Amino acid sequence: MKKKAIGAVDIGGTKIAVGMVDDRGKVLAREQSPTDPDRYAAGVASIAEMLHATAQQARVQIGGIGIGSTGPVDPFTGKFGNVDFLPGWRGKSPVKDLTRKFRVRVALENDGDAAALAEAGWGAGRNKSRLIYVTVGTGIGGGIILDGELYRGVDGAHPEVGHQVVDASGPECSCGFHGCWESLAAGPAMVALMEKDVPADYPYRSGLTAKRIFELAKQGDPWAKRAVDREARFLGLGLANLINLYTPDAIVLSGSVMKSSGLLLDGIRKTIAEGCRFVPAEKTKITLASLGDDTNLIGAARVWHYRFGKRFRAR
Ligand SMILES: [Zn+2]
């Protein structure tokens, strides 16, 4: 009898990663393929193929399947909502289709919630009962865990931490507001704000990325340093709001922008200390995610454990 592992499926707007994850959160095998936004059936067929292939590579039997997906998704019916960038997936349920194909139990959550569950169960948030996970990359997303349980809104809705307004006079956001956290502090926002800031003859203007800005700041470029300070300020404001609202045990930070956390954390902490005076903000641990680039994949497996396995209860 082969050992069992959970088949993990991480569905993003551009790629789908699939892997086998053991019951300690270790990735035993992984594969990925590009997402076809229009063709759902082909997407599910490719997921099934990768599940079989990775199970074979890891020499395990698939004991269940966990899915973390870009949203909106309904965690209970497993159906895709109005996902802008996956039009062909709307109304479809990979939970139903993979259950039929594999005859195991399948659970699905929004990918921010999946990653929050992974960090809470196997990562930097272990033993933290109230935890907020925030990922800062091309957008800002996250998941909230309160008293050891994933927080869900009305009808299971996933809260959008990235769309809290940080500066109402800020840039327009796709959600309809101006100055959302995401429109000010995600990687592309950092670039857009710096491009507006620098003089016309600024030598590094073309091809600026968030990563490049951090490199330039490290080399002492004053414009890039200004951009990094502004980034830390905006990140700090959004995190301070979360601390004022939830006073969590920990906030776990992840995403491509946080790879340069060394340049950001002091500024973030300074902003939080400045404004969170009526809550014990110093007790909220600001920490980096510990599961690395596979957080979302590991999170997908954790979704299965959270739904069907023995519940983790960190107190
Ligand atoms: Zn918004």
Side-chain angles (χ1 to χ4, degrees):
M1 188 74 178
K2 277 184 194 167
K3 253 183 84 176
K4 280 189 182 174
I6 297 301
V9 181
D10 170 32
I11 303 173
T14 55
K15 71 171 172 62
I16 298 176
V18 169
M20 290 298 134
V21 178
D22 74 10
D23 60 9
R24 282 182 301 175
K26 192 172 161 233
V27 178
L28 305 172
R30 82 188 295 289
E31 283 194 358
Q32 69 179 58
S33 69
T35 311
D36 184 333
D38 300 312
R39 294 168 58 224
Y40 169 77
V44 169
S46 146
I47 289 169
E49 226 168 83
M50 291 191 284
L51 281 167
H52 285 304
T54 50
Q56 208 164 31
Q57 286 162 37
R59 297 167 196 274
V60 292
Q61 194 189 340
I62 298 173
I65 297 170
I67 308 171
S69 177
T70 185
V73 287
D74 184 317
F76 299 111
T77 63
K79 273 191 192 164
F80 276 81
N82 280 325
V83 188
D84 281 352
F85 31 89
L86 298 175
W89 295 55
R90 270 177 214 162
K92 301 291 198 313
S93 169
V95 169
K96 204 178 91 193
D97 294 325
L98 292 173
T99 303
R100 204 173 43 216
K101 273 185 205 283
F102 287 86
R103 309 211 165 276
V104 293
R105 287 185 294 183
V106 181
L108 168 144
E109 297 285 356
N110 168 281
D111 52 4
D113 287 335
L117 287 169
E119 287 293 338
W122 287 320
R126 237 175 314 182
N127 305 318
K128 303 286 184 216
S129 143
R130 293 154 292 249
L131 172 143
I132 301 180
Y133 170 83
V134 175
T135 175
V136 187
T138 52
I140 298 184
I144 299 168
I145 288 172
L146 296 177
D147 295 332
E149 301 281 342
L150 181 63
Y151 171 77
R152 300 181 197 281
V154 60
D155 279 343
H158 169 75
E160 291 289 347
V161 294
H163 295 278
Q164 53 165 316
V165 174
V166 168
D167 174 3
S169 63
E172 196 176 358
C173 177
S174 56
C175 73
F177 274 138
H178 281 79
C180 290
W181 199 19
E182 175 171 296
S183 73
L184 291 166
M190 201 183 164
V191 173
L193 290 173
M194 179 158 166
E195 281 172 347
K196 252 171 63 181
D197 202 24
V198 295
D201 61 351
Y202 180 67
Y204 311 112
R205 181 188 268 277
S206 77
L208 267 186
T209 60
K211 193 174 165 206
R212 180 80 180 120
I213 296 173
F214 287 118
E215 281 166 12
L216 288 165
K218 264 192 208 152
Q219 291 159 19
D221 178 82
W223 293 102
K225 278 165 90 173
R226 223 169 103 141
V228 169
D229 288 347
R230 183 170 44 219
E231 174 69 8
R233 176 71 177 165
F234 283 139
L235 285 174
L237 286 173
L239 292 171
N241 287 341
L242 293 176
I243 292 172
N244 273 330
L245 289 168
Y246 294 96
T247 57
D249 297 307
I251 296 181
V252 178
L253 298 169
S254 160
S256 55
V257 167
M258 292 319 299
K259 290 199 166 148
S260 303
S261 62
L263 296 176
L264 296 167
L265 282 175
D266 283 350
I268 286 173
R269 292 203 169 97
K270 204 175 127 217
T271 296
I272 291 170
E274 188 189 310
C276 296
R277 293 184 189 174
F278 303 137
V279 294
E282 70 287 353
K283 291 188 179 160
T284 296
K285 196 173 161 206
I286 306 286
T287 182
L288 295 174
S290 65
L291 298 174
D293 291 339
D294 277 330
T295 303
N296 279 19
L297 191 64
I298 296 166
R302 190 73 196 180
V303 163
W304 187 92
H305 288 277
Y306 181 70
R307 189 80 58 87
F308 301 122
K310 214 170 79 197
R311 285 283 176 99
F312 74 94
R313 277 213 176 253
R315 291 274 175 207

